Amino acid sequence: MREDGVLIWNVTAGCNMDCPYCFEGHNKPAHPNMGELDRRLNNLVNSISGVWELRLNGGELFDMPGFLDFFIPAILKKSQHKIAVLTNLTCSLEEVVKLSEMTKDRLSFFSSSLHLMTKNNVSKRLINTNPYEYLEKAKKVKQALNKNNPSVNYYVNCVLLPSKLELIKEFKAAYTEAGLPLFFQFLKTGLSPNLKPHIYSEEDLKKIEAIVGKEVTKNDLVNSAENFKGHNCHAGSKYLIINEEGKAYVCHAATSNQKHCLGNLSESKVNLFEKPIKCPYQLCTSGIPKIKGIIGSQTE
């Protein structure tokens, strides 16, 4: 069944990793309490009708106390919405099994981020993740998910870091053969709300072409951060972003620029647009609007 809309919910900014290229900054706040999240969930249920896909992001969700014991059960009880989960896969296999057993066919999408470069939160020492060790864990996670829901989609996110392009080209085939397609993210620089696309060198662009192909914008497994300014867009009516403070924005670009705010779920329900808008932004930092057909043409 096609969902009536897609909601990206940045449930928490708290994270147990410290990636040097994270555009959310390095001073990670504490996780929200469950009482506050329950208030936001109640207002959300009263704000959107039909069946949406709730894409739950962090921070790191499995690191948040109450995520599996309270938050997921509350969504399942209070709504009919589909659930998607994004994690850095530092969680245990037992936690994934628990999530899968609870959500069953309500879990439409599972995504884990392969951070090839991060820092230890205590020592701040730079750590290079072994992609093959990560793959072995991801295989077990995929098996656990498919046991309760054979149709759940599982993708592995990977940022196209200039220093890791040769390595990415090397391990890509292993992930594909395991049925774990890599979803590539072009590197962005700066911090929210001042994000800009990284300017790759000509040499790096050739390496990226060898990884994702020549026609990058036609590849649904690449978020190339395109410019859709002037295009008709259903952001605000069929697509919505909830930030870690509970504020609702029409899209990621609006969140970064703190414009087109539709309300705050911590206070009341939000009011969606009734028709498409002309995109006013030069950088679409998410690949979802394009993949899901949220973005239209300039003439329709």
Side-chain angles (χ1 to χ4, degrees):
M1 182 184 71
R2 184 177 176 85
E3 297 86 8
D4 295 299
V6 179
L7 182 142
I8 312 297
W9 191 347
N10 296 318
V11 180
T12 177
C15 190
N16 56 1
M17 297 183 77
D18 187 18
C19 302
Y21 49 88
C22 180
F23 51 74
E24 295 298 336
H26 304 288
N27 297 315
K28 307 299 183 184
H31 294 296
N33 64 69
M34 290 300 107
E36 178 59 37
L37 287 182
D38 192 46
R39 182 183 305 110
R40 294 174 188 175
L41 176 60
N42 289 334
N43 286 327
L44 174 64
V45 171
N46 291 325
S47 298
I48 58 177
S49 58
V51 177
W52 284 47
E53 182 180 72
L54 307 187
R55 294 203 173 196
L56 309 179
N57 292 351
E60 175 50 36
L61 296 167
F62 286 95
D63 187 56
M64 181 177 70
F67 174 62
L68 289 177
D69 295 329
F70 176 84
F71 190 55
I72 292 296
I75 294 175
L76 295 172
K77 180 180 179 180
K78 297 181 180 185
S79 78
Q80 296 299 314
H81 300 305
K82 296 285 187 177
I83 295 173
V85 171
L86 174 64
T87 174
N88 58 28
L89 214 61
T90 53
C91 57
S92 67
L93 184 60
E94 289 74 20
E95 288 175 308
V96 175
V97 169
K98 185 175 181 178
L99 172 71
S100 179
E101 290 176 344
M102 292 167 61
T103 55
K104 294 185 171 61
D105 62 350
R106 294 276 296 277
L107 185 68
S108 61
F109 187 89
F110 189 88
S111 177
S112 64
S113 294
L114 168 56
H115 293 294
L116 293 171
M117 187 185 300
T118 187
K119 289 182 179 180
N120 182 285
N121 271 346
V122 178
S123 68
K124 301 302 178 183
R125 181 174 59 88
L126 193 65
I127 300 171
N128 292 300
T129 303
N130 185 318
Y132 296 100
E133 292 178 359
Y134 188 100
L135 175 58
E136 290 308 308
K137 183 175 183 179
K139 287 179 181 177
K140 295 176 183 177
V141 166
K142 178 179 173 63
Q143 185 177 21
L145 293 171
N146 288 340
K147 183 178 180 180
N148 290 291
N149 183 358
S151 64
V152 65
N153 293 309
Y154 181 9
Y155 290 86
V156 176
N157 286 299
C158 183
V159 177
L160 292 166
L161 298 174
S163 63
K164 301 292 184 180
L165 294 176
E166 293 286 356
L167 177 62
I168 294 171
K169 180 183 177 182
E170 176 189 305
F171 68 69
K172 178 187 174 184
Y175 278 75
T176 303
E177 290 171 6
L180 289 163
L182 290 164
F183 185 86
F184 295 108
Q185 303 276 353
F186 274 64
L187 180 64
K188 305 173 188 72
T189 59
L191 297 175
S192 295
N194 301 307
L195 287 179
K196 295 180 180 179
H198 172 76
I199 305 301
Y200 290 94
S201 68
E202 289 297 322
E203 181 181 356
D204 285 343
L205 288 174
K206 290 180 181 178
K207 292 178 181 179
I208 291 173
E209 182 179 303
I211 296 170
V212 303
K214 290 185 177 181
E215 297 184 284
V216 173
T217 58
K218 295 182 180 181
N219 190 334
D220 283 346
L221 291 176
V222 181
N223 176 12
S224 54
E226 296 176 59
N227 183 349
F228 292 112
K229 187 174 182 178
H231 286 237
N232 287 309
C233 184
H234 291 277
S237 57
K238 296 182 180 180
Y239 183 72
L240 194 64
I241 308 294
I242 308 296
N243 72 4
E244 61 272 11
E245 298 174 348
K247 293 180 180 179
Y249 292 90
V250 300
C251 65
H252 280 96
T255 305
S256 298
N257 290 278
Q258 297 185 7
K259 296 179 179 179
H260 288 106
C261 182
L262 303 181
N264 192 328
L265 290 178
S266 294
E267 300 169 357
S268 63
K269 72 176 197 175
V270 298
N271 296 307
L272 302 181
F273 292 156
E274 296 182 355
K275 58 183 181 180
I277 61 172
K278 290 284 186 182
C279 176
Y281 302 109
Q282 293 185 343
L283 182 65
C284 187
T285 57
S286 173
I288 297 172
K290 177 183 173 182
I291 294 170
K292 292 285 189 176
I294 305 297
I295 288 280
S297 69
Q298 291 179 301
T299 56
E300 67 176 15

